[in-house]
């Protein structure tokens, strides 16, 4: 498989921008904390504290931004409960990817993201379209899907980039 062309990268960027703008218009402020958190982690990882494998930086950034949003929401609402498991798993998962990326953290994070995704999807079905809860759940689902796509994209790229015979 060859590297994507500039045109393919531009199309991907345009599609991501349109999706992000649409999500922002619908979900409003719900996108703010994860976007700022993801951007901050991306900047730190690309300029200051480089991760072990930069191919995973996108997944780490979105995962960390989502985790920061969960933390902020839980702290503001004083609702710690079962969501604390998300904080621990995804916070440690982002750190694990930063320090020692590879198939094992990708699989572990995938399992937990899928469990959370199914939970979010079953919850959103009972929420009124346009309600604050519906908007928040749309963002949760979008972030979880983004993490899964970025995790596996990075792993496939890392696997493809390994020299033959190793």
């Amino acid at each position: 498989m060859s590297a994507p062309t500039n045109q393919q990268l531009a199309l991907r960027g345009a599609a991501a921008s349109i999706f992000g703008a649409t999500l922002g218009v619908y979900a409003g402020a719900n996108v703010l904390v994860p976007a700022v958190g993801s951007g901050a982690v991306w900047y730190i990882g690309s300029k200051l504290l480089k991760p072990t494998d930069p191919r995973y930086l996108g997944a780490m950034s979105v995962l960390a931004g989502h985790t920061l949003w969960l933390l902020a929401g839980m702290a503001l609402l004083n609702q710690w409960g079962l969501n604390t498991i998300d904080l621990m798993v995804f916070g440690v998962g982002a750190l694990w990817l930063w320090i020692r990326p590879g198939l094992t953290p990708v699989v572990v994070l995938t399992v937990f993201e899928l469990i959370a995704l199914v939970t979010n999807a079953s919850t959103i079905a009972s929420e009124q379209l346009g309600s604050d809860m519906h908007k928040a759940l749309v963002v949760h689902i979008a972030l979880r899907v983004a993490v899964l796509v970025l995790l596996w994209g990075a792993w496939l790229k890392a696997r493809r980039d390994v020299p033959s015979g190793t």
Side-chain angles (χ1 to χ4, degrees):
M1 176 185 271
S2 61
T5 66
N6 286 342
Q7 183 179 15
Q8 289 171 324
L9 291 173
L11 286 172
R12 288 179 191 173
S17 296
I18 291 168
F19 178 77
T22 304
L23 181 63
V25 167
Y26 177 71
N30 287 300
V31 178
L32 186 61
V33 173
V36 170
S38 295
V41 171
W42 179 272
Y43 180 81
I44 290 167
S46 62
K47 302 290 183 193
L48 304 173
L49 300 170
K50 307 248 188 231
T52 304
D53 188 339
R55 291 174 289 217
Y56 290 90
L57 185 56
M60 289 181 276
S61 297
V62 175
L63 191 57
H66 193 187
T67 303
L68 290 171
W69 183 44
L70 286 170
L71 178 61
M74 290 168 60
L76 288 171
L77 300 173
N78 196 25
Q79 293 184 352
W80 299 96
L82 288 176
N83 289 334
T84 307
I85 295 170
D86 279 346
L87 281 182
M88 293 186 311
V89 169
F90 300 128
V92 169
L95 187 60
W96 189 7
L97 275 176
W98 196 283
I99 296 168
R100 196 173 176 104
L103 183 59
T104 304
V106 168
V107 169
V108 169
L109 285 167
T110 296
V111 168
F112 281 98
E113 286 287 3
L114 288 174
I115 291 168
L117 190 58
V118 167
T119 302
N120 291 156
S122 67
T123 303
I124 201 171
S126 64
E127 295 299 328
Q128 179 69 33
L129 184 67
S131 69
D132 289 340
M133 182 60 83
H134 190 272
K135 291 176 182 181
L137 286 166
V138 166
V139 175
H140 281 295
I141 290 168
L143 291 170
R144 294 188 192 292
V145 170
V147 166
L148 290 169
V149 168
L150 291 166
L151 277 174
W152 286 100
W155 183 79
L156 288 170
K157 183 165 179 18
R159 184 171 172 235
R160 183 181 66 228
D161 292 348
V162 172
S164 59
T166 57

